[in-house]
Amino acid sequence: MATRRVRITALNGGHARPVAELVRLAMCHDGPVVVRKETGAEADLRSVLAVMMLDLAEGDVVTLETVDAPASASLLDELAAVLDPKG
């Protein structure tokens, strides 16, 4: 599995606009994409509702995970940039 840990620096954490962008990116990937909080709570990034229910907040550290594929690294880079635009 390809993984990436990210500290959320996006203002207001996981509000609707960044969540919609995360879902858009995940939907373009051929395989499951999961976001997991340090508490163990996780959601499939292809579901807006599931991600919103995680209540991601600025300062949270999350792990992004997807299957190994040629595009996995670039997908994780793009997802991380949405959550950590200052990084």
Side-chain angles (χ1 to χ4, degrees):
M1 287 291 207
T3 63
R4 178 84 43 90
R5 284 190 59 159
V6 179
R7 178 173 304 279
I8 299 173
T9 62
L11 187 62
N12 296 324
H15 62 90
R17 187 161 297 177
V19 168
E21 181 63 10
L22 293 172
V23 170
R24 184 190 71 75
L25 291 167
M27 295 292 281
C28 293
H29 187 65
D30 292 333
V33 185
V34 173
V35 59
R36 183 177 301 108
K37 293 178 75 169
E38 289 184 314
T39 63
E42 65 181 51
D44 182 340
L45 273 178
R46 294 175 292 181
S47 169
V48 171
L49 184 57
V51 178
M52 293 294 290
M53 290 182 67
L54 277 182
D55 194 29
L56 301 174
E58 186 176 357
D60 286 351
V61 175
V62 298
T63 301
L64 302 166
E65 183 176 286
T66 188
V67 295
D68 288 321
S72 294
S74 62
L75 171 67
L76 292 175
D77 289 344
E78 291 179 82
L79 295 170
V82 173
L83 294 171
D84 183 16
K86 300 173 186 176

